Amino acid sequence: KGNYLYTVIVLGASGDLAKKKTFPALFGLYKNKYLNPKTHIVGYARTKMDQATFEDHVTKYIKLKSEDDKAALKDFLKLCSYQDGQYDKDSDFQRLEQRLVQVEKESGATERLFYMALPPSVFIKVATCLKHNNYSKEIITRLIVEKPFGMDLESSRKLAKELGALFSEEEIYRIDHYLGKEMVKNMMILRFANVIFGSIWNRQSIDNVQITFKEKIGTQGRGGYFDEFGIIRDVMQNHLLQILTLVAMEPPVSLNSEDVRDEKVKVLRFIPPITREDILLGQYGKSEDGKEPGYLDDATVPKGSKTPTYAAATLFINNERWAGVPFVLKCGKALDQQKTEIRIQFKNVACGIFKSLSRNEIVIRVQPDEAVYVKMMNKEPGLGMKTIISDLDLSYSSRFNDSVIPEAYEALILDALNGDHSNFVRNDELDAAWKIFTPILKKIDQGEINPIPYAYGTRGPKGLTEFVAKHGYTRGEQEYVWPQHSAA
Ligand code: BG6
């Protein structure tokens, strides 16, 4: 805990990501004594800011829950300083270097963590300047980088090559913040530390897998940015695919990061590119009451854009364990609810002695309200032999009510500080992921697929029920509502 001595440099410190995620996560680590109290945090960006303005920016999204938190924040801010500079000027990075040398003299730090909270257009420029001006073999250097990692296989490879010429794979930490989420990290334990789950985790028992990401909000001001990418690049190709690999991969030899990542790459390589038949796209319009704007009403979105804000895609993994089992990934903005979950649906029971059965399901609710629950058939209490659908429910709020679930970014920054790569995306993994999505993305980019409109605040585009049913998902005959929440 907090024994390493490093300097954290946040590039793009005046931006949204730094304000919303990076600084609050660094404060969370500091508050819980995971950061060495001598650590210095140096912000760097183009905007000119004095210390007071910078501190406002750093604290904007930090939630203080107690007097202790307030005191901790005061001390935390003493560790933070800011320097403005251009993203492509060596002289500015030399000034940054002088600052770093100075703070390292005070702290004795011999490690540097560069957090690249930057737009893609300046990414390589900054990496180049860092390599030329702020890099030395005596100092352990780590670089956290954020998506987008390119737009397709080709641009991702170009980026990887350019970055690879500057920093080694060992030094690079590609963030996918879903890998820092508690329930995503729980996946390996659920699968590989439980005989009851481990032994049924295959095509003999499982009919289909649904991985769902829903957000209630639309693009809200990010429309211009979002439009270049669309929901597949924004969420599916990274967050949902990462979840899929953890659900589907073979057990790694150990928890060592390369062992884990070897297995993840392997399972991705068994997935052929998504076909036109296996994709359903949507784009949200105005809400039914007309109060919420449609995607195309956003002034920053190009007129007539066909960019999908909703996508459902079915992936198949052609290996011994999974051949024939559809993995349906679904994600969308401006929907009826906010949640991310993994739903493993089992096959029908062969036995015909009971009527009106529903399939077993294991549901891992990533957010909100972390939970694992198993839907199962039970005898309805009382006389007779009627079946009733019920559940085994591990809801974190009731079972682990004293535990604090760390923010994904806290978990990941700490991993990077400790030099642990297991929850970061390796270069070949990224390559394998792009191979699956690039052909269909090309079709979408060329305007070959028209997204189906859906109203803001609804379940998604028409045809969704048929789409998931075509890929095996069956709603049970009995009505079921998870007591904690309404049904999916
Ligand atoms: C980001 C996407 O990667 O993930 C956003 O760019 C999305 O569009 C976000 O809203 C969701 O993250 P979380 O942690 O809020 O579920």
Side-chain angles (χ1 to χ4, degrees):
K1 239 185 170 182
N3 288 329
Y4 300 87
L5 262 174
Y6 23 68
T7 311
V8 179
I9 303 101
V10 181
L11 289 310
S14 64
D16 242 28
L17 177 70
K19 173 173 70 178
K20 288 185 179 156
K21 301 289 182 190
T22 320
F23 291 123
L26 286 167
F27 173 66
L29 291 174
Y30 175 77
K31 187 179 83 176
N32 294 310
K33 306 206 169 10
Y34 284 102
L35 273 196
N36 190 305
K38 287 186 186 160
T39 307
H40 275 274
I41 298 167
V42 181
Y44 183 96
R46 284 179 295 205
T47 315
K48 287 204 184 321
M49 265 194 274
D50 58 17
Q51 180 71 14
T53 317
F54 177 59
E55 289 185 5
D56 277 351
H57 184 76
V58 167
T59 50
K60 197 145 228 156
Y61 281 79
I62 291 178
K63 290 189 195 90
L64 301 174
K65 293 182 194 127
S66 63
E67 285 304 313
D68 285 354
D69 281 6
K70 277 188 200 157
L73 182 62
K74 230 171 135 192
D75 292 337
F76 174 74
L77 287 173
K78 289 185 195 142
L79 310 177
C80 300
S81 62
Y82 178 75
Q83 185 182 315
D84 65 83
Q86 294 305 309
Y87 286 144
D88 53 0
K89 246 169 103 180
D90 283 322
S91 56
D92 287 350
F93 283 85
Q94 278 154 21
R95 275 196 302 122
L96 174 65
E97 182 61 18
Q98 285 161 14
R99 164 75 59 88
L100 297 182
V101 169
Q102 188 196 333
V103 298
E104 280 162 354
K105 217 183 246 166
E106 283 169 32
S107 68
T110 53
E111 302 188 10
R112 286 179 184 178
L113 178 73
F114 292 100
Y115 195 112
M116 313 276 271
L118 293 165
S121 55
V122 297
F123 190 78
I124 289 296
K125 286 181 192 149
V126 172
T128 309
C129 286
L130 289 177
K131 183 65 192 281
H132 290 163
N133 304 294
N134 312 94
Y135 184 87
S136 104
K137 283 261 175 288
E138 283 83 68
I139 288 186
I140 295 178
T141 299
R142 300 193 175 114
L143 207 69
I144 294 190
V145 298
E146 284 271 351
K147 79 173 164 65
F149 307 123
M151 291 289 284
D152 51 21
L153 183 60
E154 209 183 356
S155 53
S156 161
R157 281 187 176 163
K158 181 168 174 276
L159 184 68
K161 203 169 155 205
E162 288 170 349
L163 192 61
L166 299 164
F167 295 94
S168 68
E169 188 63 23
E170 185 65 29
E171 292 168 330
I172 300 171
Y173 292 76
R174 288 178 202 85
I175 272 204
D176 182 313
H177 78 283
Y178 266 62
L179 290 176
K181 293 198 188 253
E182 187 67 21
M183 295 310 280
V184 177
K185 291 171 81 174
N186 192 21
M187 211 55 237
M188 277 218 269
I189 299 195
L190 283 178
R191 291 191 54 201
F192 304 131
N194 288 300
V195 175
I196 53 165
F197 293 153
S199 57
I200 53 172
W201 214 263
N202 52 48
R203 67 191 174 109
Q204 279 75 36
S205 304
I206 293 176
D207 187 274
N208 65 81
V209 177
Q210 313 278 318
I211 301 174
T212 310
F213 165 103
K214 288 177 151 203
E215 264 183 349
K216 275 182 154 176
I217 52 169
T219 50
Q220 260 137 347
R222 277 174 82 226
Y225 163 85
F226 182 88
D227 199 74
E228 278 180 55
F229 299 93
I231 195 75
I232 296 181
R233 291 186 178 96
D234 193 41
V235 173
M236 191 186 275
Q237 180 265 2
N238 31 66
H239 306 328
L240 298 195
L241 193 67
Q242 281 297 336
I243 294 178
L244 178 147
T245 52
L246 288 166
V247 172
M249 72 186 197
E250 296 301 315
V253 175
S254 76
L255 285 182
N256 172 293
S257 43
E258 297 325 310
D259 286 339
V260 173
R261 300 198 296 179
D262 284 349
E263 291 306 331
K264 290 173 78 180
V265 177
K266 221 191 270 172
V267 78
L268 289 176
R269 290 180 57 205
F270 275 113
I271 305 177
I274 299 165
T275 62
R276 173 67 189 93
E277 296 69 52
D278 289 337
I279 197 141
L280 176 78
L281 302 180
Q283 188 186 73
Y284 70 87
K286 278 194 193 340
S287 59
E288 277 156 358
D289 62 8
K291 285 190 182 144
E292 298 293 344
Y295 178 67
L296 296 177
D297 298 328
D298 183 332
T300 59
V301 170
K303 280 203 169 47
S305 163
K306 286 187 178 181
T307 299
T309 60
Y310 185 96
T314 306
L315 280 64
F316 291 93
I317 305 168
N318 291 334
N319 65 8
E320 191 62 29
R321 186 189 287 269
W322 294 116
V325 178
F327 282 73
V328 183
L329 310 187
K330 293 172 283 178
C331 49
K333 295 203 172 265
L335 297 176
D336 56 339
Q337 47 174 313
Q338 189 240 333
K339 80 169 180 192
T340 302
E341 67 169 32
I342 306 159
R343 186 174 292 265
I344 321 276
Q345 187 172 68
F346 288 83
K347 290 188 187 282
N348 293 331
V349 282
C351 168
I353 56 177
F354 298 111
K355 292 201 180 58
S356 176
L357 297 182
S358 289
R359 288 174 166 181
N360 288 135
E361 287 180 0
I362 298 177
V363 182
I364 295 115
R365 179 179 272 251
V366 176
Q367 64 189 32
D369 306 325
E370 291 83 352
V372 183
Y373 62 98
V374 180
K375 281 168 65 176
M376 55 170 230
M377 298 309 300
N378 201 60
K379 178 182 164 313
E380 189 172 51
L383 301 173
M385 280 294 278
K386 227 174 137 204
T387 62
I388 184 167
I389 186 162
S390 186
D391 50 64
L392 299 171
D393 177 2
L394 169 59
S395 283
Y396 276 38
S397 57
S398 47
R399 183 67 178 82
F400 302 119
N401 54 5
D402 289 340
S403 319
V404 177
I405 296 178
E407 285 296 320
Y409 274 89
E410 288 177 26
L412 294 175
I413 293 176
L414 187 64
D415 281 353
L417 288 171
N418 290 332
D420 180 352
H421 273 96
S422 36
N423 289 313
F424 293 87
V425 184
R426 203 166 67 187
N427 192 15
D428 52 346
E429 197 179 337
L430 189 61
D431 210 72
W434 277 121
K435 277 189 185 151
I436 299 169
F437 285 93
T438 297
I440 197 80
L441 283 168
K442 288 234 156 99
K443 282 198 168 62
I444 297 170
D445 291 348
Q446 283 155 9
E448 283 179 35
I449 309 179
N450 287 325
I452 301 165
Y454 60 97
Y456 193 115
T458 57
R459 274 190 67 229
K462 242 176 113 188
L464 176 60
T465 307
E466 295 73 15
F467 182 85
V468 291
K470 176 174 107 181
H471 294 292
Y473 182 71
T474 313
R475 256 173 204 282
E477 286 179 32
Q478 292 187 22
E479 198 48 43
Y480 170 79
V481 178
W482 182 38
Q484 298 287 334
H485 277 268
S486 57

